[in-house]
Amino acid sequence: MFELEREVKETQQVVVEEMDSAMVKIEQVREEELEGFTNFVIGLINQSGQITVERVHKLLSLLLSDSVAGQLTQEEVKTFLDKKVKQKLLVFTGGVYKKHK
C-alpha cells in the first residue's frame, strides 16, 4: 500500500513538473510572437502620434484574432507597452504612449 502511494505521489510530481515546463514554453512562444508586433505598434503610433493601451488592445484583437497577440488581455498589452518604454522605444505620458525621441 505504501509503495503504491509513493508511486502515485511521484507520478503526480512528474505531471506537475511537465505542466510547469509546458506553461513556461507557451509563455516563451507568446512573448516571442508579441515581440514581432513591436514594429506594428510603433507604426500605429507613427500614424497617429500617440495611442492608448485600450486602442492597441482593440486593434490587436480585431486584426490578429487568430494569433497569440490577438488573444492578449488589455493588462498583457500594457505590460508589453511598458516593456517598450523601458527599452526606450516608447514613452508613456498623460495616459498615452508615444514614440521615444
Side-chain angles (χ1 to χ4, degrees), residues 9-78:
K9 286 182 182 180
E10 287 175 1
T11 301
Q12 287 174 334
Q13 182 63 30
V14 168
V15 169
V16 167
E17 289 172 3
E18 288 176 1
M19 288 177 64
D20 287 346
S21 177
M23 292 303 290
V24 167
K25 287 178 183 175
I26 289 169
E27 192 59 36
Q28 287 171 340
V29 167
R30 197 173 176 160
E31 184 72 25
E32 289 171 9
E33 184 173 343
L34 190 53
E35 281 301 314
F37 294 106
T38 299
N39 289 336
F40 174 76
V41 171
I42 290 174
L44 291 173
I45 293 169
N46 283 339
Q47 288 181 347
S48 63
Q50 63 186 29
I51 198 164
T52 63
V53 67
E54 295 85 4
R55 182 79 176 138
V56 173
H57 178 254
K58 184 175 183 175
L59 289 170
L60 288 175
S61 296
L62 290 172
L63 300 174
L64 307 168
S65 61
D66 292 339
S67 74
V68 170
Q71 300 169 11
L72 295 172
T73 66
Q74 188 168 306
E75 186 60 35
E76 290 169 319
V77 172
K78 181 172 180 7

Side-chain angles (χ1 to χ4, degrees), residues 84-85 89-93 96-101:
K84 298 304 156 196
V85 170
L89 295 174
L90 303 176
V91 293
F92 181 73
T93 181
V96 295
Y97 291 89
K98 299 177 183 178
K99 192 172 177 185
H100 192 275
K101 294 181 182 180

